Amino acid sequence: MQASISHATPEDIPGLVELAVLTFPLACPPEVTPEDSTAFVTENLSAERFAAYLNDEKALVLAARDAGRLLGYCLLVLAAPSDPEVLEALDQGRAVRPSAELNKFYLHPDAHGSGLAGQLVEAAAGAAASVGARSMWLGVNNRNVRAQSFYRKSGFQTSGRRSFRVGSHTFRDLIMVRQLVAAPDAGAGAVPGAARPGEQ
């Protein structure tokens, strides 16, 4: 699959919410109840939250489409982390600062195995580098072996742990770090090789 990856726009918000509702539970361990999952999505992945992300100069939302169908998205957070465990993990992973967080990364089940995940993570890396990030980090559930394997193949290395709460459950996520090559000639906020809003 050769998807089109671009910066999300306000028109994408309903589709992003629909995709979030579908995909977030799929990444959760079995003990996370549907009620827990719904509460998390309502708090973090609602239309209001996506609108806030799109208006935040310290955030970038990328949308991946095939033939116009929204099949994936990711959220980059450009602000420096404040969690001491994350900071320690970045130091252990020798993450070159500034470091961008790959905060959300989800694909529609129909796109699993299509190559879209690789395209999207490379677009995220390019977007992060284009606005000055020298490394990229993420948190992944310690029991999500499939995701961990994908991130390792994509150049991430485990460097520590952090606590992550969903409902009444507190998980010890792995922190993974990938160094980036700076792209000083790319336009601010550009996604190298991808269309910007309004372009085809």
Side-chain angles (χ1 to χ4, degrees):
M1 178 185 296
Q2 187 58 48
S4 169
I5 300 174
S6 61
H7 292 265
T9 68
E11 289 72 26
D12 292 316
I13 290 176
L16 291 168
V17 172
E18 182 179 350
L19 196 56
V21 170
L22 173 66
T23 57
F24 178 76
L26 301 178
C28 293
E31 60 265 36
V32 174
T33 67
E35 292 77 16
D36 290 336
S37 180
T38 297
F40 184 92
V41 169
T42 299
E43 182 177 353
N44 298 282
L45 298 168
S46 64
E48 292 76 16
R49 293 299 296 154
F50 275 112
Y53 297 143
L54 293 180
N55 287 319
D56 187 347
E57 63 181 13
K58 291 295 186 180
L60 293 174
V61 182
L62 303 183
R65 302 174 180 81
D66 181 52
R69 181 188 178 196
L70 183 63
L71 288 176
Y73 75 93
C74 67
L75 167 66
L76 282 166
V77 175
L78 307 176
S82 59
D83 185 333
E85 287 192 306
V86 173
L87 293 170
E88 181 180 356
L90 295 183
D91 289 339
Q92 290 180 352
R94 299 182 179 178
V96 182
R97 311 294 175 87
S99 188
E101 178 188 5
L102 187 58
N103 183 277
K104 305 284 186 289
F105 189 92
Y106 294 104
L107 297 183
H108 193 286
D110 290 350
H112 290 177
S114 68
L116 178 58
Q119 296 172 46
L120 185 56
V121 79
E122 292 309 317
S130 76
V131 293
R134 303 301 304 276
S135 62
M136 187 163 65
W137 69 274
L138 57 87
V140 59
N141 188 273
N142 66 304
R143 291 166 59 185
N144 194 339
V145 177
R146 177 177 178 173
Q148 292 169 37
S149 177
F150 165 73
Y151 290 130
R152 288 191 185 97
K153 291 177 182 177
S154 300
F156 289 86
Q157 295 183 336
T158 302
S159 62
R161 288 181 178 267
R162 69 160 180 199
S163 294
F164 188 82
R165 191 171 182 83
V166 179
S168 61
H169 308 283
T170 299
F171 300 101
R172 293 295 291 164
D173 284 3
L174 300 182
I175 298 296
M176 306 183 76
V177 174
R178 170 178 165 172
Q179 309 298 341
L180 301 176
V181 176
D185 294 332
V191 182
R196 293 177 65 90
E199 296 178 346
Q200 299 296 324

